[in-house]
Amino acid sequence: MQSFSEVCAMSEGKWLFLAGLGAGAALALRMSEKQISSVKGFAAKIANSESVTDARRVTAEKLNDVLRTQGAKLIDKLAENLKSQLNAGGGAAWAGFANAGGAGGNPPESSTTSTDKDGVTRDKDGHIIIDGKIVA
């Protein structure tokens, strides 16, 4: 169980935020249009400052790098899971597909597949075939 001081320390940030929000609202209600436009100009100046713009750019670059690497890893992992499920299921993996070449749980016949200029074998619907199984 947490002590009273631990609970107070956890919620101190929340209370400070709410106090700041209340003070800001009270000040905004008493400000004239000229003062409000002055505050907006000051906020815009800060938002468009060189240091904030640089920080925004660096953050965006780091986020893009992380998304690029983690996204590629996720796609690879999903592809491996799909391949293993298709390979493990054998004929059962084909049972849900109702196509002319795959009826009865068998992979499509060679007459319904073609190989493109990059050496990728596809069925008549454009699905990629590896070892007689649809992988994409």
Side-chain angles (χ1 to χ4, degrees), residues 11 15 18 22 25 32 43 46 66 70 74-75 89 91-92 113-114 120 122 124 128:
S11 62
W15 284 110
L18 289 175
S32 68
I46 290 174
V66 168
Q70 296 302 319
L74 178 61
I75 289 171
T113 62
S114 62
V120 177
R122 297 181 184 273
K124 64 182 173 125
I128 297 175

Side-chain angles (χ1 to χ4, degrees), residues 36 54-55 78 98 104 110 112 118 122 126 128:
I36 290 174
D54 288 344
L78 289 171
S110 60
T112 62
D118 298 324
R122 297 181 184 273
I128 297 175

Side-chain angles (χ1 to χ4, degrees), residues 79-136:
E80 287 301 317
N81 283 341
L82 180 61
K83 287 177 188 176
S84 66
Q85 287 177 0
L86 287 173
N87 290 333
W94 291 96
F97 294 107
N99 60 26
N106 297 321
E109 296 178 19
S110 60
S111 62
T112 62
T113 62
S114 62
T115 304
D116 62 13
K117 64 180 178 178
D118 298 324
V120 177
T121 303
R122 297 181 184 273
D123 69 1
K124 64 182 173 125
D125 296 325
H127 300 111
I128 297 175
I129 308 293
I130 297 177
D131 293 328
K133 298 187 189 297
I134 295 176
V135 295

Side-chain angles (χ1 to χ4, degrees), residues 11-36:
S11 62
E12 182 177 332
K14 293 176 188 175
W15 284 110
L16 286 175
F17 174 75
L18 289 175
L21 188 64
L27 288 173
L29 291 174
R30 294 187 174 173
M31 293 171 59
S32 68
E33 287 294 322
K34 185 177 181 182
Q35 290 171 324
I36 290 174

